[in-house]
Amino acid sequence: MTRVQINGEPATTEVLHRAATQGYGHYTSMQVRGRAVPGLSRHLDRLRAGSAVLFPDAEPPAGLPALIARALGDLDDASVRVTVLPHPDDRTRTDVMVSVSEPVDDTPRPPLRVRTVAFERDLATLKHMGTLGQTFHRLQAQRDGFDDVLLTARDGALAEGSVWNVAFWDGERVVWPDAPLLDGIVMQLLRDGLREIGVPDTTRRLTAGSLREMTAAAATNSHCPAQPIGTIDDVAFPRNEILTGLLSRAWKQVVREPLR
């Protein structure tokens, strides 16, 4: 099941072709449950901020919750992606594409086997449509027997996964990398949740050499807030249940905001 609407109306083949071939725009992805979204307001802030960078001459996208609700129709649970695209004729306007598909089970998979790769996304702080680089590296890693990749910045700092943020446990606190990366919505919500349950966390520069200082690692995104990572390169993380347990507890503190 997939539904796609542009500006609240069923998407035409012409518009879908333009979106696919132009490759310019930004988006956010969310899991809807009971017609509510964890961190909905932050998703909306992300879309407005992305538009300010990519479409500075256009009005910020408006009426986004209503467009999402319209695309959902009678569905209560779904995976939703909201993409802001350039208008073909008017640079002071944008098009909003809402894609609705089956909800994703957030049950963690077996611990991931990850390798590091030197690659820094263009405009790394934005969730944009330019995903060729990280997708290429992820597929190459899978050909070599890994599950995914952890990207490192130009200076060697650990940054982010192909489509996820990474969290570590150093025995005392949750550690997030300090590097050019996407400030993921789930990561933001988890940090708030950790503070709610009294678990300290910090952000600091990490490199491949820092991995042996950590006892656990996990990937976080809208599909799963606490996906254990078993190894990164040749470093194993034997105590993942501690970190994933804390992240799961933190996630339970998150408020689901209703679509109105």
Side-chain angles (χ1 to χ4, degrees), residues 58-141:
E59 290 293 323
L64 295 171
L67 291 175
I68 297 170
R70 184 179 179 90
L72 283 170
D74 60 355
L75 296 176
D76 291 329
D77 302 337
S79 299
V80 172
R81 172 167 162 160
V82 182
T83 307
V84 182
L85 302 164
H87 190 276
D89 305 313
D90 186 351
R91 70 181 185 183
T92 67
R93 298 167 56 192
T94 55
D95 288 332
V96 177
M97 179 169 69
V98 182
S99 306
V100 176
S101 56
E102 296 290 344
V104 175
D105 183 2
D106 65 0
T107 302
R109 293 176 286 162
L112 302 179
R113 186 175 177 226
V114 173
R115 76 176 177 192
T116 56
V117 60
F119 179 77
E120 187 175 314
R121 294 186 306 111
D122 292 333
L123 300 174
T125 59
L126 295 184
K127 194 174 183 71
H128 56 74
M129 295 174 65
T131 60
L132 185 146
Q134 69 259 39
T135 302
F136 170 80
H137 288 298
R138 176 175 57 81
L139 293 176
Q140 290 294 106

Side-chain angles (χ1 to χ4, degrees), residues 39-228:
L40 175 63
S41 58
R42 300 194 191 205
H43 285 284
L44 303 181
D45 289 342
R46 166 188 277 175
L47 292 171
R48 286 188 283 264
S51 286
V53 174
L54 295 186
F55 306 111
D57 297 322
E59 290 293 323
L64 295 171
L67 291 175
I68 297 170
R70 184 179 179 90
L72 283 170
D74 60 355
L75 296 176
D76 291 329
D77 302 337
S79 299
V80 172
R81 172 167 162 160
V82 182
T83 307
V84 182
L85 302 164
H87 190 276
D89 305 313
D90 186 351
R91 70 181 185 183
T92 67
R93 298 167 56 192
T94 55
D95 288 332
V96 177
M97 179 169 69
V98 182
S99 306
V100 176
S101 56
E102 296 290 344
V104 175
D105 183 2
D106 65 0
T107 302
R109 293 176 286 162
L112 302 179
R113 186 175 177 226
V114 173
R115 76 176 177 192
T116 56
V117 60
F119 179 77
E120 187 175 314
R121 294 186 306 111
D122 292 333
L123 300 174
T125 59
L126 295 184
K127 194 174 183 71
H128 56 74
M129 295 174 65
T131 60
L132 185 146
Q134 69 259 39
T135 302
F136 170 80
H137 288 298
R138 176 175 57 81
L139 293 176
Q140 290 294 106
Q142 290 174 346
R143 289 182 62 189
D144 294 338
F146 294 86
D147 296 303
D148 215 320
V149 290
L150 177 59
L151 308 179
T152 65
R154 294 180 180 89
D155 64 355
L158 302 181
E160 58 190 345
S162 60
V163 291
W164 40 270
N165 290 113
V166 64
F168 296 98
W169 177 251
D170 68 359
E172 296 181 355
R173 62 188 62 80
V174 177
V175 182
W176 309 91
D178 182 8
L181 53 79
L182 181 71
D183 191 14
I185 304 299
V186 171
M187 180 175 72
Q188 296 175 37
L189 297 173
L190 285 171
R191 297 197 71 177
D192 290 346
L194 288 169
R195 295 182 187 111
E196 287 288 328
I197 63 175
V199 175
D201 76 307
T202 188
T203 300
R204 70 171 186 258
R205 185 177 185 276
L206 302 171
T207 66
S210 308
L211 293 174
R212 297 191 184 279
E213 303 170 9
M214 307 297 163
T215 59
T220 71
N221 65 10
S222 63
H223 287 181
C224 181
Q227 168 60 51

Side-chain angles (χ1 to χ4, degrees), residues 216-246:
T220 71
N221 65 10
S222 63
H223 287 181
C224 181
Q227 168 60 51
I229 296 174
T231 60
I232 300 177
D233 295 336
D234 61 347
V235 180
F237 300 99
R239 302 180 65 187
N240 277 319
E241 71 283 352
I242 296 176
L243 177 58
T244 55
L246 291 173

